[in-house]
Amino acid sequence: MASNIVTIISSFVIAVIVALTVQIFYFSPIDPLPLQIPPSSSAKHNQLKNIIKLGEGILKDPEDVCFDKEGTLYSVTRDGWIKRLPRNGDWENWKHIDSNTLLGITASKHGGLIVCDATKGLFKVTEEDGFTVLVNGSQANFADDVIEASDGSIYFSDATKKHGLHDVHLDLLEARPHGQLLKYNPTSNEVSVVLDKLHFANGVALSKDEDYLLVSETWKSRVLRHWLKGANKGKTDIFIENLPGGPDNINLAPDGSFWIALVSVI
Ligand SMILES: *[C@@H]1O[C@H](CO)[C@@H](O)[C@H](O)[C@H]1NC(C)=O
């Protein structure tokens, strides 16, 4: 009798171990590598104390900002709005789309905005035509941030080819380089890969002279620089590393330096 119970219990234990093993190694949505967060440089954290908050209570989870030629400020929200703040005016609801995944935006030199949607791809948004798809979700899994060059080329990040905005934590847990930097040619309508194997490709910016591109690798706490012109054309190096957080969006400042937003990764 006692030995029967022991047999039953040990069979049960073995069954549980087998079930857990299958669950973890077969059904797991991730195939992780160890995530090595580099040591961060020391940074003063008192600079944000004196900021003025714009749009508090008006913008739901705003992701990015840009200015058009008239100096109107635009931002996108997670309830699908592009809202704008004209100089000396109040916030206006500008354009709306049924989406809760709008991310990076930039003002186009030809008028209107270019907007990333982490689910639907890349859009052009104008006063007259509203939202027009440039690159759909089948060509970009997770469009994240975008910049337009003066020759009309549009560079944008595909944060990760594997996961989506709502399971982005899995991409961090997996810590594999599923991201890429893409280029959209509006003349030929073609999308090409500029850089592959990025550890969550996030913010994208062009230098003032458009001689290089920057792209954030959030999970690596660093920003890469990809040269578009000059002796280093086609080469990629590290622009800044050991940041005290994960770099998110990047915007060029008028003096040629860059604003880089940092997120707490862990
Ligand atoms: C997505 O874009 C590609 C390339 O332009 C096109 O071939 C494909 O039909 C589009 N898919 C959808 C669902 O619109």
Side-chain angles (χ1 to χ4, degrees), residues 49-109:
K49 269 188 187 164
N50 302 319
I51 56 168
I52 299 164
K53 292 185 181 177
L54 296 174
E56 196 177 21
I58 297 167
L59 304 176
K60 180 182 158 49
D61 303 333
E63 166 73 20
D64 197 11
V65 290
C66 68
F67 287 96
D68 69 11
K69 276 181 275 185
E70 283 76 42
T72 299
L73 173 70
Y74 291 81
S75 190
V76 277
T77 66
R78 286 292 166 81
D79 47 12
W81 278 104
I82 301 179
K83 300 197 180 194
R84 66 181 183 187
L85 181 64
R87 275 175 188 270
N88 308 319
D90 287 325
W91 281 103
E92 298 168 355
N93 289 339
W94 185 51
K95 296 285 171 195
H96 185 262
I97 189 169
D98 182 19
S99 168
N100 58 5
T101 51
L102 296 182
L103 295 178
I105 57 175
T106 197
S108 169
K109 282 144 194 114

Side-chain angles (χ1 to χ4, degrees), residues 133-139 184 189-191:
V133 178
L134 298 179
V135 176
N136 66 33
S138 69
Q139 294 166 287
Y184 170 69
N189 241 358
E190 278 168 1
V191 177

